[in-house]
Amino acid sequence: MPLIPEEPQIHEKAQGPRATPASGRTAPTPRPVPGPRPAAPPRPGRPGPVRPGPPAQRASRDTAAVEPGPAGPAAPATAATATEDAAPTTPQIQLIPATPDGALDAAEEAVDLLLDSGRTPGDVLVITTGDAHPWAAHELSFGDAAYWAQQDVGDDVFYADAAVADRAASRAVVVVALNGGPEAAAVTALAVAHSRAGALLIVCGDPQRINSVLGAGV
């Protein structure tokens, strides 16, 4: 009989050479190489590492700064600009009807409204024609120099009597309280207030008396 060739034995496909140490033990499977570790979170109460910011972007040639050349002569001011600079400012006048007994309270309410609207205390000057404001009387008790020093600081509302109001500095808003006193005091107070007010003049008192004084050329 013819011999049947022996079927070849099918062996499993080799998985590749295994690393075998010299001692004959199977080598352990190599661990994967770890990648870069993420930055550790900062500890509570301690600041984490400060990372450098991106490098400053350099200006391109198109946006590079151009050094200015020699400056030419300044252009002369126009006639319109010179006229505007020389023109004096006229304050807006607001009348608040009040009796001599209530004029000071009306002035205080006006000051509160000014401060609530955004005016700073140093913008306001209050002039009285009768009794001095309690603040002025208190500051004058420390001496004339200490009283006027408060005006020089300029961080609070300043109160002055009509008799010394001509020493008061100009402020954006001047409030006049016609709270009594002779007619001459009202005339002096309104004249000084009109010259010291930069933007607004508020007068608290009898409207007829105010209009008569203002109409006299104040």
Side-chain angles (χ1 to χ4, degrees):
M1 294 179 63
L3 297 177
I4 301 173
E6 185 178 359
E7 296 179 1
Q9 296 182 359
I10 300 174
H11 300 281
E12 295 182 0
K13 187 177 180 181
Q15 302 296 327
R18 295 184 178 181
T20 305
S23 60
R25 297 180 181 178
T26 303
T29 303
R31 298 181 180 179
V33 178
R37 297 182 180 180
R43 297 181 181 179
R46 299 180 60 183
V50 179
R51 298 184 179 181
Q57 183 178 2
R58 295 182 179 180
S60 61
R61 294 182 179 180
D62 296 337
T63 59
V66 179
E67 296 183 0
T78 61
T81 304
T83 303
E84 292 177 358
D85 294 340
T89 58
T90 302
Q92 180 183 357
I93 301 176
Q94 180 180 353
L95 306 182
I96 299 179
T99 62
D101 293 336
L104 191 56
D105 292 336
E108 285 291 277
E109 293 179 2
V111 172
D112 292 339
L113 291 175
L114 289 170
L115 300 182
D116 292 341
S117 65
R119 287 285 183 182
T120 60
D123 288 342
V124 184
L125 167 67
V126 179
I127 301 176
T128 57
T129 60
D131 294 336
H133 188 276
W135 181 90
H138 174 74
E139 293 298 327
L140 283 171
S141 65
F142 297 100
D144 192 70
Y147 167 73
W148 290 106
Q150 297 295 323
Q151 176 188 242
D152 297 337
V153 173
D155 60 352
D156 202 353
V157 180
F158 190 74
Y159 298 85
D161 184 79
V164 296
D166 56 343
R167 293 182 57 184
S170 299
R171 295 201 174 188
V173 183
V174 178
V175 181
V176 178
L178 299 179
N179 59 333
E183 189 69 17
V187 175
T188 300
L190 291 176
V192 172
H194 192 269
S195 63
R196 298 297 191 272
L200 179 62
L201 170 59
I202 301 175
V203 185
C204 305
D206 182 10
Q208 292 184 351
R209 186 183 183 189
I210 296 171
N211 289 327
S212 63
V213 175
L214 293 177
V218 175

